[in-house]
Amino acid sequence: MLLLNIFETTLPLTNPVLKFLLILVIILFAPIILNKIKIPHLLGLIIAGALIGPNGINLMERDSSIILSGTAGLLYIMFLAGLEIDLADFKKNSKKSMVFGLYTFIIPMTLGTLAGLYILGFSVPSSVLLASMFASHTLIAYPLISKLGVAKNKAVNITVGGTLITDTLALLVLAVIVGMTTGEVNAAFWIRMTGSIIVFGLIVMLLFPIIGRWFLKRFDDNVSQYIFVLVMVFLGAVLAEMAGIEAIIGAFLAGLALNRLIPHTSPLMNRIEFVGNAIFIPFFLIGVGMLIDYRAFFKDFETIKVAGVMIVVATSAKFLAAYITQKSFKFSIDERRLIFGLSNAQAAATLAAVLVGYNIIVGETESGEPIRLLSESILNGTILMILFTCTHATFVAQKGAKNIVLLDSTDTSIDEEENQERILIPISNIETTDELINLGVTIKSKKNKEGLYALSIVDNSSLDDSKHKQAKKILSKAAVTASATDTILHELLRYDLNLVNGITSVVKEHKITDLILGLHISKGISDSFLGNLTEGILTKCNSTTLIYKAAQPFGTIKRHIIIVPEHAEKEIGFPFWIIKVWNIARNSGAKLVFYASVETLKFIREIQSKHPIECEFEDFNDWDDFLILARNFHQDDNLVLVLSRKDKPSFHNSMTKIPSYLNKYFKATSYILIYPMQAGVTDNSQIDLKNPAITEPLEKLDEIGKTIAKIFKRK
């Protein structure tokens, strides 16, 4: 009887279980089916929404639940855009973003106003409001571009920054037009709006990072951290609405504010992207599809005329803005496709503007019919424009992104296996496991998908089975932490009488290139520890070795203070550890502050010019004055010390005092000690940074490795 009650229903569906099941089936199968005929999955969800919606076969209404989920999805898209943006590149290209933002606002505003006045015969307020709809855009194609791995392309960064500018200006135009039609535009209106926007911006950009850092330091529960992020997204959106601007601006700024606190390789970032791409964003796209009314094509000629003008003007204006931006900054054709594809789709802000304009009554006809600021033909035309621009923009963006990926990709053949990056993390303490794995994920190359190894060593002489179980438990925890970032971790359990022998044997057996050792937060670093390390591991293997003590979550660190010894650039391992440091900045967004000699800083500056990250450079030569640096050290800083084995070019006698300095002055802070690869440690190799044996492995890491290889070949 219960089954009959469930399935005996009329259309549209009202049973919440059936409705949710239908949406999940669409999210699952629509992309799969349409991808076979080369239709992007984003467009597939929009088409599916149109089919099941009230203007299609009416399986489902666009009710409050769909609107709520869709609004969350839209805010999610804007939040992800702010969260994934490369802040260093964003700052470097801020002027370009401003220029593009003005191009993509002024050109549509100009063409749209002229089209409204002279082609469609609208009034000035209606024409200006219509033009503001063309000026704004929604980053519909952003999830697709992010999935293809080009979200950090400079053209994408510029477009995302320009989106903030043009959407803000377009929505301000909307507020002004509404104020003019209701007679509220006066000095008090401008003062109130300007003041509220400034207060809103200061709260989000200054207060949100402080709140975020405080929370993430104190609460490490996965669910709590994710819910906290959602709270900040919607809080930013609410504050934006209170300031008189659209919620999407608040969500985007919330993403920017939390950008540095959520490393791109962290488990939290992976959860944010997963839930957004699996649930929230598909709900938004399906909701957009439900607005599409194919019958509008056949209603009357006026709707077709208005829709045609809107589509042509909006598409032409956005293409013109993208074309001028391409020529202004010498972008490639594919980068222009990215800009145009991201900026051509009309949805969120456009819908907000047309619905506001449609609901404003400016008069009545002789028969008593209401005269609206934006007529019903514009409302229907807007729906058709959304369908066309979302479809066209998705195809264009996908083509540009795929071409860029193909251009940047290099095939990795089987004979390159010898030069693959392999990172080994010996673990023995379950409390430090997460941070050690997170550091490994952060420093690895983007191309390294399976080169992470966790090692647990059990005393071979012990008969205690509990040690074996504990080792397996720690390895399992490490694997779970790595899997949360979509990283494959190889679990290695080894029985050995000696810890050093166990580690060095695994390094040789698995051709390990990088070694990460952990220190417990409550323990200092002793002279005997470094002595045993130097005499043991560092003399028996020549991997880049990092010793890490985590006093706080890695994502909450503001700056990494990097102390580099003189002549470090002459060492064979210099390019390899510098790549690790660069990856820390790229994946965490934290600032790097280098203290090094003038000659060393020249190399680092050249790398920074080609791969911008937020850096500061300080001339530093005298390690006897090392303690002076402690004065410039702040609470949320991480100290990175590049050390050397004895009798090597970059060794300094003051390095022997490092343990006592760290225990006395840096006991409550995080630090990383780096021992680079050095010539003559395990063989008689010479220091020759032009040697193909050094440059070829660099070139196979990623774009930074290629750049460093070219620099050393040239030098």
Side-chain angles (χ1 to χ4, degrees):
M1 195 68 182
L2 180 61
L3 289 174
L4 290 175
N5 289 335
I6 292 175
F7 291 104
E8 284 181 3
T9 183
T10 58
L11 297 182
L13 298 175
T14 57
N15 186 296
V17 178
L18 285 177
K19 289 169 65 177
F20 198 74
L21 173 63
L22 177 61
I23 291 175
L24 291 180
V25 169
I26 290 172
I27 294 173
L28 177 62
F29 288 107
I32 296 174
I33 295 172
L34 292 172
N35 277 343
K36 291 183 178 180
I37 54 177
K38 307 300 182 182
I39 294 179
H41 72 280
L42 300 180
L43 184 57
L45 292 171
I46 294 174
I47 293 174
L51 289 175
I52 69 167
N55 300 314
I57 59 178
N58 198 25
L59 272 178
M60 191 179 299
E61 288 184 338
R62 192 174 185 270
D63 56 17
S64 58
S65 62
I66 298 295
I67 295 172
L68 174 62
S69 303
T71 301
L74 173 60
L75 296 179
Y76 223 97
I77 291 176
M78 296 302 295
F79 174 70
L80 280 176
L83 197 62
E84 292 185 345
I85 197 170
D86 189 326
L87 285 182
D89 204 28
F90 182 68
K91 288 182 178 180
K92 180 181 178 182
N93 296 308
S94 58
K95 292 181 180 178
K96 294 179 180 178
S97 292
M98 180 71 73
V99 171
F100 168 70
L102 293 176
Y103 281 158
T104 200
F105 173 75
I106 293 173
I107 295 173
M109 282 297 299
T110 303
L111 295 181
T113 302
L114 293 175
L117 288 172
Y118 298 109
I119 299 178
L120 300 176
F122 294 161
S123 64
V124 173
S126 296
S127 298
V128 173
L129 186 55
L130 179 70
S132 72
M133 293 162 51
F134 302 153
S136 65
H137 57 253
T138 303
L139 298 172
I140 286 283
Y142 186 85
L144 183 148
I145 287 175
S146 178
K147 187 176 180 180
L148 289 172
V150 294
K152 291 189 177 183
N153 183 280
K154 58 184 176 181
V156 176
N157 268 322
I158 288 171
T159 308
V160 171
T163 299
L164 176 64
I165 295 166
T166 189
D167 279 4
T168 302
L169 293 175
L171 294 169
L172 287 176
V173 169
L174 171 63
V176 172
I177 293 297
V178 171
M180 290 175 61
T181 56
T182 57
E184 295 179 356
V185 175
N186 49 36
F189 169 84
W190 290 110
I191 293 172
R192 183 173 64 254
M193 174 169 283
T194 303
S196 61
I197 290 174
I198 291 174
V199 171
F200 153 72
L202 291 175
I203 290 174
V204 174
M205 297 309 296
L206 298 181
L207 196 57
F208 274 32
I210 295 174
I211 297 172
R213 184 169 281 106
W214 175 86
F215 187 92
L216 295 175
K217 274 185 178 181
R218 286 160 179 79
F219 302 95
D220 58 1
D221 177 66
N222 297 334
V223 175
S224 297
Q225 288 187 347
Y226 179 75
I227 297 301
F228 169 77
V229 169
L230 285 185
V231 168
M232 300 306 286
V233 174
F234 282 88
L235 179 59
V238 169
L239 291 174
E241 290 185 333
M242 291 173 62
I245 56 179
E246 279 296 309
I248 56 176
I249 305 299
F252 178 77
L253 288 183
L256 286 180
L258 299 179
N259 185 290
R260 295 189 187 281
L261 298 176
I262 306 176
H264 299 143
T265 55
S266 66
L268 178 57
M269 184 67 173
N270 194 54
R271 292 185 198 101
I272 291 170
E273 290 182 331
F274 173 78
V275 176
N277 291 326
I279 301 295
F280 287 115
I281 295 174
F283 264 89
F284 166 68
L285 296 171
I286 291 172
V288 170
M290 287 183 175
L291 290 169
I292 296 170
D293 185 2
Y294 67 91
R295 291 169 295 187
F297 283 106
F298 312 105
K299 280 188 175 180
D300 55 64
F301 177 74
E302 183 65 20
T303 297
I304 300 298
K305 174 187 174 184
V306 170
V309 171
M310 293 176 70
I311 290 170
V312 170
V313 173
T315 304
S316 301
K318 289 296 184 180
F319 176 80
L320 191 57
Y323 180 79
I324 295 175
T325 302
Q326 176 205 356
K327 295 301 180 183
S328 299
F329 304 127
K330 298 180 180 178
F331 287 155
S332 67
I333 293 176
D334 287 316
E335 287 174 323
R336 185 192 70 203
R337 289 190 177 109
L338 286 181
I339 296 172
F340 177 51
L342 282 170
S343 62
N344 186 35
Q346 310 286 329
T350 305
L351 282 173
V354 73
L355 291 175
V356 169
Y358 181 75
N359 290 325
I360 293 177
I361 309 298
V362 295
E364 289 185 357
T365 63
E366 293 180 358
S367 60
E369 292 290 328
I371 300 175
R372 303 179 183 274
L373 185 60
L374 295 179
S375 65
E376 187 175 356
S377 62
I378 297 179
L379 179 62
N380 291 327
T382 300
I383 302 302
L384 297 179
M385 180 180 70
I386 289 173
L387 173 61
F388 178 84
T389 57
C390 288
T391 303
H392 186 241
T394 303
F395 277 111
V396 172
Q398 180 176 254
K399 183 176 181 180
K402 284 186 174 180
N403 288 346
I404 289 174
V405 170
L406 289 173
L407 187 65
D408 291 343
S409 64
T410 53
D411 295 327
T412 303
S413 59
I414 297 175
D415 59 359
E416 291 176 353
E417 187 177 349
E418 294 296 318
N419 295 322
Q420 285 182 356
E421 177 188 57
R422 294 181 176 87
I423 301 173
L424 176 66
I425 309 172
I427 50 177
S428 59
N429 191 318
I430 200 164
E431 294 179 13
T432 60
T433 297
D434 283 352
E435 284 300 319
L436 290 175
I437 298 300
N438 287 336
L439 177 62
V441 173
T442 302
I443 67 171
K444 73 179 181 66
S445 167
K446 288 189 296 183
K447 292 184 178 181
N448 184 356
K449 302 298 183 183
E450 301 183 11
L452 207 60
Y453 297 78
L455 170 65
S456 189
I457 297 177
V458 179
D459 188 350
N460 200 23
S461 63
S462 175
L463 299 177
D464 188 358
D465 188 53
S466 63
K467 291 185 177 181
H468 170 82
K469 292 180 179 178
Q470 179 67 11
K472 293 289 290 182
K473 182 179 179 181
I474 295 174
L475 285 175
S476 296
K477 181 176 176 57
V480 170
T481 302
S483 65
T485 64
D486 286 337
T487 301
I488 297 174
L489 180 77
H490 302 276
E491 301 175 47
L492 304 177
L493 180 62
R494 189 178 186 90
Y495 293 87
D496 207 298
L497 291 172
N498 184 282
L499 186 67
V500 171
N501 286 341
I503 293 175
T504 53
S505 296
V506 170
V507 168
K508 293 175 182 177
E509 290 168 8
H510 292 274
K511 298 181 175 63
I512 298 299
T513 59
D514 304 275
L515 178 64
I516 298 177
L517 304 174
L519 289 175
H520 196 277
I521 184 173
S522 62
K523 299 177 182 178
I525 180 168
S526 63
D527 293 324
S528 60
F529 176 86
L530 280 184
N532 293 335
L533 184 73
T534 304
E535 295 173 6
I537 296 174
L538 295 179
T539 56
K540 294 182 179 180
C541 62
N542 199 19
S543 302
T544 302
T545 304
L546 292 82
I547 305 168
Y548 179 38
K549 190 195 83 168
Q552 65 185 79
F554 204 76
T556 62
I557 292 171
K558 288 184 179 179
R559 301 189 307 169
H560 296 277
I561 311 297
I562 303 155
I563 317 300
V564 187
E566 193 174 8
H567 306 307
E569 75 280 3
K570 298 178 181 178
E571 297 274 17
I572 199 170
F574 175 81
F576 295 97
W577 72 255
I578 201 75
I579 287 177
K580 307 306 174 191
V581 171
W582 227 258
N583 285 338
I584 287 175
R586 289 197 302 176
N587 293 324
S588 70
K591 178 190 290 187
L592 302 184
V593 183
F594 286 96
Y595 285 83
S597 65
V598 175
E599 290 299 317
T600 305
L601 290 179
K602 284 182 181 179
F603 284 91
I604 301 174
R605 287 180 189 272
E606 188 168 354
I607 298 168
Q608 200 267 345
S609 67
K610 292 180 171 58
H611 300 280
I613 56 174
E614 191 171 356
C615 277
E616 290 182 6
F617 303 96
E618 299 288 342
D619 187 9
F620 176 75
N621 288 310
D622 193 354
W623 275 61
D624 292 326
D625 291 334
F626 174 78
L627 292 182
I628 295 177
L629 300 178
R631 302 173 187 171
N632 300 325
F633 204 82
H634 302 148
Q635 181 182 1
D636 293 316
D637 288 347
N638 175 51
L639 180 66
V640 181
L641 278 167
V642 182
L643 301 175
S644 170
R645 299 161 177 86
K646 287 184 179 181
D647 303 322
K648 300 304 173 186
S650 60
F651 179 78
H652 193 284
N653 288 328
S654 295
M655 290 182 183
T656 58
K657 303 175 184 177
I658 291 300
S660 61
Y661 288 160
L662 294 176
N663 291 334
K664 188 173 183 179
Y665 299 101
F666 299 93
K667 192 172 184 178
T669 58
S670 298
Y671 57 76
I672 300 174
L673 309 182
I674 299 179
Y675 283 89
M677 289 188 296
Q678 292 182 296
V681 174
T682 57
D683 52 42
N684 295 318
S685 58
Q686 299 297 312
I687 302 173
D688 181 11
L689 293 172
K690 297 182 180 180
N691 190 331
I694 302 301
T695 56
E696 286 180 7
L698 285 173
E699 291 172 349
K700 290 163 185 172
L701 288 176
D702 59 16
E703 66 273 13
I704 293 181
K706 293 177 184 178
T707 299
I708 296 175
K710 290 178 182 177
I711 291 173
F712 282 112
K713 284 179 179 179
R714 187 174 69 250
K715 299 287 184 182

